[in-house]
Amino acid sequence: IGLNCQQHAHGTGFLCAHYTPTFDLAPLAIGDIGRGILASFRASDSPYYKSGMTDLDALRLAMTPGVSCSTHIRHPYHGQVNFGRGLKMLQSIAMQTYGSMFLASGRAWSLMDGLRTISGNFPLEGQIPGTLCYVAFKREDIVDFQAMLDEARLITDPALNKPDNLDTLFT
């Protein structure tokens, strides 16, 4: 999370998590008061940035596995800086638990509740100065968190689903 805030937001980030036993609810909020998703795509000269993009376009694009404003940037010692999987992994875990996820950046917002997603723009001049991601699920719906995490990784990295050698696929 700290690395994401450093790479994307160029601002202060925060993380909040708690558990509410009465409702068996486990919410997690990750946010920053940085520049927002659209400005991050623009500032990094991302190949995904297109002139005329809106905050909503950028928010939807950022939910695509493998897309990040910095996937094209290489660190001299560590290789690729960012893989563009974090938001989609959070969405996958929310979907697997029939939980919810709220994402907002700039003027745009998106809400995924169960398997339904709605999105739009804040009314008037409303906006988020940075990015906010909130995920909530019931703890009882997490039977095997490692298996859920593995499933989220498969969804966000299709290369993990491809066998290295097709000759060994059925042996």
Side-chain angles (χ1 to χ4, degrees):
I1 291 166
L3 185 58
N4 257 8
C5 284
Q6 186 180 39
Q7 289 175 0
H8 299 297
H10 292 248
T12 302
F14 62 89
L15 168 69
C16 177
H18 67 93
Y19 175 66
T20 308
T22 307
F23 300 105
D24 189 38
L25 193 63
L28 169 70
I30 305 162
D32 64 69
I33 52 173
R35 58 188 175 185
I37 295 172
L38 177 60
S40 191
F41 274 115
R42 186 182 318 117
S44 68
D45 291 325
S46 170
Y48 299 106
Y49 175 76
K50 303 291 182 240
S51 179
M53 278 179 86
T54 65
D55 285 316
L56 189 55
D57 295 333
L59 189 132
R60 288 176 175 154
L61 184 61
M63 289 300 298
T64 306
V67 172
S68 170
C69 75
S70 61
T71 51
H72 65 291
I73 299 171
R74 301 276 179 208
H75 188 279
Y77 304 110
H78 307 293
Q80 191 169 352
V81 173
N82 189 297
F83 295 102
R85 297 183 188 139
L87 290 174
K88 194 64 175 181
M89 286 181 73
L90 286 173
Q91 183 187 42
S92 173
I93 290 169
M95 288 176 71
Q96 291 177 62
T97 60
Y98 300 99
S100 59
M101 178 175 168
F102 177 76
L103 179 63
S105 182
R107 296 210 55 235
W109 61 269
S110 178
L111 173 64
M112 193 251 348
D113 188 14
L115 300 176
R116 175 181 63 114
T117 300
I118 58 172
S119 57
N121 287 305
F122 292 110
L124 304 174
E125 296 302 314
Q127 65 179 336
I128 300 288
T131 303
L132 172 65
C133 181
Y134 173 87
V135 180
F137 46 84
K138 291 190 178 248
R139 191 175 72 161
E140 72 182 17
D141 292 330
I142 303 224
V143 178
D144 183 348
F145 185 75
Q146 186 59 51
M148 294 175 82
L149 196 56
D150 290 344
E151 176 69 20
R153 283 189 182 117
L154 287 173
I155 289 168
T156 61
D157 188 356
L160 295 175
N161 284 324
K162 295 178 184 172
D164 291 333
N165 184 342
L166 292 178
D167 293 338
T168 63
L169 183 60
F170 299 104
T171 57

